[in-house]
Amino acid sequence: MHEQKTILIVEDDEVDVMTIKRAMREIHVTNPVKVTWNGEEALEYLQGQKDLPGIILLDLNMPRMNGVEFLQHIRADERLKPIPVVVLTTSREEQDRVSSFNLGVAGYMIKPVDYLQFVEVIRAINLYWTLSELP
């Protein structure tokens, strides 16, 4: 995606993680990928990292700490605040979308059921990230 910065996936569904990774391979994304299974685990990971990920792909509906709560935490942390976050979720709830954008997400994508459409979603995220001028 961008340079060789890590891509952090925050997702509790193993099938979705496998699908994201497969789609990344298909479009030749070679960045290292780190998977965390909920917001708490993702925060622990981020707080222990010297080099922060280049982008976070975030699910909203997770146990322990959901995606919106996770966003609230990282946006309140000056060190983590600049990391671009793209929500990748099944939620079509308007409140989830509004909350996410109010917390400064770079994008909100609905996970398609069809694999080929999923690849196109990952391709769009890759294009956005590749073209963005990150600090």
Side-chain angles (χ1 to χ4, degrees):
M1 280 194 176
H2 193 51
E3 299 170 13
Q4 279 302 305
K5 287 189 165 244
T6 299
I7 299 165
L8 176 61
I9 299 172
V10 186
E11 170 64 69
D12 67 322
D13 185 308
E14 284 188 56
V15 172
D16 284 348
V17 169
M18 289 188 317
T19 303
I20 293 167
K21 286 180 169 183
R22 180 177 166 208
M24 285 180 181
R25 277 192 308 274
E26 191 162 316
I27 63 169
H28 309 290
V29 173
T30 59
N31 297 68
V33 174
K34 170 66 179 168
V35 177
T36 57
W37 303 100
N38 60 61
E40 281 182 8
E41 190 179 324
L43 275 179
E44 281 179 31
Y45 167 77
L46 289 169
Q47 290 164 348
Q49 293 304 300
K50 183 177 148 192
D51 294 323
L52 295 174
I55 192 167
I56 298 171
L57 302 182
L58 176 67
D59 186 24
L60 292 183
N61 302 314
M62 296 178 292
R64 294 174 63 190
M65 179 188 289
N66 70 35
V68 171
E69 293 168 325
F70 171 77
L71 277 169
Q72 290 168 338
H73 282 281
I74 67 166
R75 293 309 184 220
D77 184 319
E78 288 303 314
R79 184 172 161 264
L80 304 178
K81 189 177 187 175
I83 304 170
V85 177
V86 174
V87 172
L88 191 56
T89 185
T90 57
S91 177
R92 295 181 183 277
E93 293 294 320
E94 188 63 22
Q95 186 55 51
D96 286 341
R97 190 184 318 260
V98 169
S99 296
S100 297
F101 278 106
N102 285 342
L103 288 165
V105 298
Y108 191 100
M109 312 287 258
I110 302 295
K111 292 178 196 170
V113 176
D114 178 73
Y115 176 71
L116 293 177
Q117 289 177 330
F118 206 105
V119 170
E120 291 309 311
V121 165
I122 298 301
R123 189 183 315 276
I125 294 168
N126 181 46
L127 182 62
Y128 162 80
W129 194 35
T130 303
L131 296 176
S132 290
E133 294 294 327
L134 301 177

